[in-house]
Amino acid sequence: MKHIAVYPGSFDPATLGHLGILKRSTKLFDEVHVLVVHNPSKTPLFSSSERLNMIKQSVRELGIDISPIRFASLETGLLADYAEVHGACALIKGFRTVADIEYELPMSQVNSDLSGVETVFMASEPGLGYVSSSLVKEVANLGGDISKYVTQAVATAVKERLDAN
Ligand code: COA
């Protein structure tokens, strides 16, 4: 039986923290769906397809094996339904601090109620526990160097988008 996991998030944009979690999940599951989810409470800098393209480019740039990874987006509907329809047994959630667990725990319980899907929590890599997509955008917006936190592909895309705005 194929073990499939879904790694959901806004990924606006994906950071090296996200990509580390993605890489490690491919060691645990046969197939991992990176799912760019529309979060109505956030105003994204990039469209879903732009975010997916940046993740693809970043996977290639970092030499991560792309063969077990599927790229998809969810504009409406429940994550639990996506998991069920695609035969996924687990959702992957990266956590950076205890605050992330507090935020994620209720969602993991509701997702389990909705479709029985498990949530697998994976600790962020040391050194990336303080990074977030918003911080990356804020630093770039103020002219700072974000190359420690994102791939070259993402750094270029963020700069181009901010320059155009
Ligand atoms: N490295 C760096 N940053 C990380 C990270 C990591 N390993 N893990 C999380 N983050 C950051 C993200 O960059 C993001 O930062 P931002 O707030 O500055 O954008 C923040 O942590 C939150 O990330 P994420 O877990 O992706 O949350 P989200 O709000 O972007 O997405 C969904 C949450 C999409 C998974 C959730 O809303 C969902 O499941 N929606 C689908 C609808 C649904 O089924 N709802 C019912 C849920 S019970």
Side-chain angles (χ1 to χ4, degrees):
M1 186 185 135
K2 206 175 189 185
H3 290 97
I4 301 173
V6 179
Y7 180 31
S10 295
F11 302 119
D12 187 51
T15 67
L16 292 178
H18 292 124
L19 291 154
I21 301 280
L22 175 60
K23 181 178 179 180
R24 285 157 59 205
S25 357
T26 62
K27 310 276 183 230
L28 298 177
F29 294 92
D30 303 310
E31 190 174 298
V32 178
H33 294 215
V34 188
L35 190 69
V36 170
V37 180
H38 173 67
N39 185 338
S41 61
K42 291 182 178 175
T43 307
L45 186 62
F46 296 99
S47 69
S48 298
S49 60
E50 288 172 330
R51 287 180 256 165
L52 279 176
N53 271 333
M54 279 187 281
I55 300 172
K56 258 182 224 170
Q57 287 173 357
S58 300
V59 162
R60 292 205 184 91
E61 188 180 318
L62 297 175
I64 298 170
D65 179 12
I66 205 164
S67 58
I69 306 176
R70 304 287 174 269
F71 299 86
S73 60
L74 184 70
E75 298 302 326
T76 57
L78 288 168
L79 176 60
D81 288 344
Y82 178 95
E84 194 166 16
V85 166
H86 291 84
C89 58
L91 303 173
I92 306 282
K93 293 293 186 96
F95 74 94
R96 297 159 299 169
T97 61
V98 174
D100 281 345
I101 294 276
E102 277 184 24
Y103 170 73
E104 294 289 350
L105 205 53
M107 288 202 283
S108 75
Q109 285 161 355
V110 171
N111 283 322
S112 169
D113 289 342
L114 289 168
S115 74
V117 69
E118 291 287 348
T119 300
V120 173
F121 291 103
M122 218 178 259
S124 289
E125 284 167 59
L128 290 170
Y130 54 91
V131 182
S132 74
S133 303
S134 304
L135 266 182
V136 162
K137 287 180 281 192
E138 187 178 332
V139 170
N141 203 21
L142 296 171
D145 176 16
I146 56 170
S147 60
K148 265 190 198 159
Y149 312 127
V150 296
T151 59
Q152 188 56 54
V154 169
T156 304
V158 170
K159 185 174 185 323
E160 283 175 4
R161 180 56 47 91
L162 292 174
D163 286 349
N165 282 350

